[in-house]
Amino acid sequence: MKHTILFIHSAGSQEDEHEGSNDLLRRLREGLGVGVTLLAPRMPSPDNPTYASWKKALDTLIPTLPGEVVLVGHSLGGSVLLKYLSEEAFTPRIAGMVLIAVPYWGVQDWDVSEYMLREDFPTGLPVIRALYLYQSDDDDVVSPDHVKYYAKLLPTATVRTPAGMGHLFAKPCPELIGDIQGLL
């Protein structure tokens, strides 16, 4: 069965071809091929994002999603998805979720309260049959240690640490494509 993929991009400019999540999104489209419904909406003010504005965008988008969905979040986009899912009623069924280079808010140098998750956030999450956490070993924006915080709190998640992908995952990552395809 084919599912809709909802991709939520990172913070920062998404305007130029090689900025923000654009290269990652292009690699996903190339790797997943035609026949896959991949929605990648522009989130509000990515150069100066707020959780409230991104939540509002998701509030509008989520009810329009058909059937089961695969959620993919890159960096801040993954943080927003986790916060949203753990705090809001989520109607569509989730076939799986893939979080890529997601910061863990609340640790040193990442103490922006509007993005912080509740301490018990895993108990608020809807059923997610398969969860993948991707973090490159050479990410110079989000330390590879951040994935360890999530892995501890989400023990059923599969953690992938591909080498040399940096923060943007701009190069082909066959393992990532394979995991997403496995959720479709």
Side-chain angles (χ1 to χ4, degrees):
M1 179 196 285
K2 295 289 183 186
H3 304 297
T4 299
I5 301 169
L6 175 62
F7 177 85
I8 304 299
H9 64 71
S10 65
S13 177
Q14 306 292 315
E15 298 306 315
D16 292 331
E17 184 178 353
H18 299 292
E19 289 186 330
S21 299
N22 285 334
D23 285 335
L24 169 58
L25 183 57
R26 187 178 71 252
R27 295 290 183 199
L28 291 177
R29 288 188 194 282
E30 290 169 357
L32 295 170
V34 297
V36 173
T37 302
L38 195 161
L39 305 176
R42 286 285 180 205
M43 298 303 281
S45 306
D47 286 324
N48 190 22
T50 64
Y51 178 72
S53 66
W54 286 32
K55 177 193 173 301
K56 186 175 178 181
L58 289 175
D59 285 341
T60 302
L61 178 65
I62 295 298
T64 69
L65 296 174
E68 288 191 312
V69 296
V70 173
L71 302 171
V72 179
H74 178 225
S75 193
L76 181 67
S79 296
V80 168
L81 279 174
L82 272 178
K83 185 169 179 68
Y84 187 86
L85 292 176
S86 66
E87 296 179 3
E88 305 300 322
F90 190 82
T91 305
R93 291 184 31 173
I94 303 171
M97 184 160 65
V98 179
L99 301 174
I100 304 162
V102 175
Y104 187 86
W105 300 94
V107 297
Q108 184 177 357
D109 298 325
W110 292 90
D111 55 355
V112 181
S113 61
E114 74 178 294
Y115 297 113
M116 290 174 67
L117 298 166
R118 295 186 326 238
E119 190 173 311
D120 66 342
F121 84 92
T123 63
L125 291 172
V127 173
I128 301 171
R129 289 184 294 210
L131 174 60
Y132 293 92
L133 304 172
Y134 272 80
Q135 182 71 48
S136 181
D137 65 343
D138 67 340
D139 190 328
D140 62 350
V141 176
V142 176
S143 165
D145 290 338
H146 287 230
V147 77
K148 294 175 187 173
Y149 296 113
Y150 285 118
K152 183 177 178 183
L153 294 167
L154 301 166
T156 60
T158 299
V159 177
R160 306 266 196 233
T161 54
M165 298 305 295
H167 183 67
L168 298 179
F169 277 70
K171 298 185 290 187
C173 186
E175 190 173 36
L176 175 61
I177 297 298
D179 285 339
I180 294 172
Q181 287 173 327
L183 298 171
L184 297 177

